[in-house]
Amino acid sequence: AAATAAAKAAERERKRLQRQQTDKRYHDTKLLIRKYRQLNEYYQNAVFDGEGAEEADEDFEEIMRSFGGSCRDEKITADSIKRNYLVTRVVMAHVNKMLDVFQAMCERSNRASDKRRWKILYGLHLAEVPVTAEELAQQENISKRAVYDIVDRCIPDLTILFFGISGIEELPEAGKLQKWHT
């Protein structure tokens, strides 16, 4: 009886941790979409890339010295900036590719609602010059609340595209996943 209870407790804990990870991926997708413009600007305009890192390192150290920074702080900060740039570069290259896939899925669909999903998501969060929820609502002849609901319904599909198979397991809104017709 004790072994059975322990096995059940271990299984509950495993499922709890899995839900926690899934919730984090879902939350991360929402955050990536909300902060897309800033992250993409950083990705497109960072001061250095892999080839220019050494030169940027020297410039950075010189700038830090002029502000009175210590050598130890300079190295930590320069390394941190390099690491963050490389991580952002990989993530944003993947996110941009998956957004292209999502756009193609929406545009290939025979359903007007799928085409609308891309138009609203793009206008509100991805376009270089954003469109307000009010403007999108007026253009689509829907309520402002519906604009946000449509974006929210994109998140499960984007979570799967961004995180692969680990984005499928127990999505918070798995019941709302769209079925794609090709």
Side-chain angles (χ1 to χ4, degrees):
T4 302
K8 285 182 181 178
E11 180 62 17
R12 278 193 307 273
E13 179 64 10
R14 185 189 67 75
K15 285 183 179 180
R16 185 188 69 76
L17 290 172
Q18 185 178 29
R19 272 192 309 276
Q20 198 174 38
Q21 282 181 320
T22 301
D23 289 346
K24 182 174 176 5
R25 286 186 291 267
Y26 187 82
H27 170 76
D28 289 349
T29 301
K30 288 177 90 168
L31 194 58
L32 277 167
I33 293 302
R34 269 194 245 119
K35 299 298 181 184
Y36 176 81
R37 279 188 209 86
Q38 294 94 328
L39 289 167
N40 207 42
E41 283 297 320
Y42 176 83
Y43 166 61
Q44 300 293 332
N45 297 297
V47 174
F48 62 87
D49 56 21
E51 293 83 41
E54 290 302 317
E55 181 181 315
D57 235 3
E58 292 167 13
D59 292 343
F60 183 79
E61 288 177 18
E62 185 177 319
I63 290 167
M64 288 300 289
R65 264 191 234 102
S66 72
F67 287 112
S70 74
C71 290
R72 185 169 188 269
D73 290 342
E74 292 167 17
K75 188 66 176 160
I76 291 170
T77 305
D79 288 345
S80 174
I81 289 171
K82 273 193 259 185
R83 259 191 319 277
N84 286 331
Y85 169 73
L86 293 173
V87 168
T88 304
R89 183 173 138 186
V90 169
V91 168
M92 290 310 295
H94 177 69
V95 165
N96 285 332
K97 179 65 177 170
M98 292 303 103
L99 286 170
D100 289 345
V101 169
F102 185 70
Q103 178 184 7
M105 290 168 64
C106 288
E107 290 176 352
R108 269 196 321 256
S109 174
N110 293 327
R111 298 186 321 197
S113 62
D114 289 337
K115 291 172 181 26
R116 177 188 279 180
R117 284 179 354 132
W118 173 254
K119 183 177 180 183
I120 288 174
L121 177 71
Y122 181 81
L124 197 60
H125 292 295
L126 310 176
E128 206 171 301
V129 177
V131 180
T132 67
E134 292 86 5
E135 291 171 318
L136 287 166
Q138 193 172 35
Q139 288 171 12
E140 296 295 319
N141 199 27
I142 57 177
S143 71
K144 181 179 168 183
R145 179 70 238 152
V147 168
Y148 292 115
D149 288 343
I150 289 168
V151 170
D152 285 345
R153 285 195 303 272
C154 294
I155 300 301
D157 293 324
L158 291 170
T159 300
I160 293 167
L161 290 172
F162 292 171
F163 296 101
I165 194 71
S166 67
I168 279 181
E169 301 163 351
E170 300 179 37
L171 275 169
E173 300 187 23
K176 294 184 179 179
L177 288 175
Q178 297 288 324
K179 293 193 180 179
W180 295 100
H181 302 283
T182 55

